[in-house]
Amino acid sequence: MKIATTVILTIATTSVSAFSPQPQGATRPSTTTELYGLFDGVKDAFGAPPSEIDAERETPIDRWMGWSVVSDEKQQAGSATPSDFVDSMDTKNYVSVALSKPMGIIFEENDAEFGGIFVQSLKEGGAAEADGNLKGGDQLIAVGTKNVSGLDFDDALGAIIDAPEQKVKLTLFRGTAKQFYGPTGPSQEWLSDFCSKGGVVSSS
């Protein structure tokens, strides 16, 4: 019993000493380090700003903490259209010609990721050169009212060869394969409707 009492008193004395009055001139143990360590996690959690916040989602705490807010101008700049953008759903970017066979057009197939064929060059003295409306790089989109965009070389050229008309109408997109077949290309609904109407009015 005597040993147990001694232990209890020792613990009690140790516990109380942390809060007991200190003699004048005595140095008090610093608790600064312990307090900083205790709140480090809280400081890190609230002190690190998010990457950026949309202006419409800004809250009072965002302003109080000094977190950055994306301006309307910056948001618009981030969504700006590419400098080489060509609107593939604007009929002004298409040309149609009606030519007799042989047309004098040398076609080439686009890269496999796109498909379809384009005008590589025009034969000197040929019908297409004499017409003067086609340019190298034009993408073949329709033969008559048939949509041939994305077809391989043989199938796309076959549509021209098999056309029964004396003069065959071709509709071409004035732009690159990426501009037509890439993310900024036309919707299938728009393209189907456009081709079914025979494209744009022939300039031949």
Side-chain angles (χ1 to χ4, degrees), residues 28-52:
R28 301 185 65 175
S30 174
T31 58
T32 304
T33 303
E34 288 78 359
L35 290 175
Y36 279 156
L38 177 63
F39 292 102
D40 279 349
V42 177
K43 180 181 179 182
D44 292 342
F46 289 97
S51 56
E52 281 180 332

Side-chain angles (χ1 to χ4, degrees), residues 141-179:
I141 304 304
V143 176
T145 58
K146 181 179 181 180
N147 180 2
V148 298
S149 62
L151 297 183
D152 61 31
F153 186 86
D154 291 338
D155 289 340
L157 200 60
I160 298 175
I161 295 172
D162 296 340
E165 298 85 4
Q166 182 179 358
K167 280 192 171 185
V168 182
K169 183 179 181 181
L170 307 180
T171 299
L172 303 97
F173 170 69
R174 185 140 291 168
T176 66
K178 182 178 180 180
Q179 290 166 338

Side-chain angles (χ1 to χ4, degrees), residues 95-99 103 122-123 126-136 138 174 203-204:
V95 58
S96 288
V97 294
L99 301 172
M103 299 178 175
L122 305 177
K123 286 186 178 180
E129 185 187 55
D131 179 79
N133 288 300
L134 297 185
K135 296 181 179 180
D138 288 346
R174 185 140 291 168
S203 53
S204 300

Side-chain angles (χ1 to χ4, degrees), residues 64-83:
W64 180 69
M65 295 297 291
W67 292 340
S68 61
V69 177
V70 183
S71 64
D72 292 339
E73 291 79 6
K74 188 170 182 180
Q75 291 184 60
Q76 292 174 2
S79 60
T81 54
S83 58

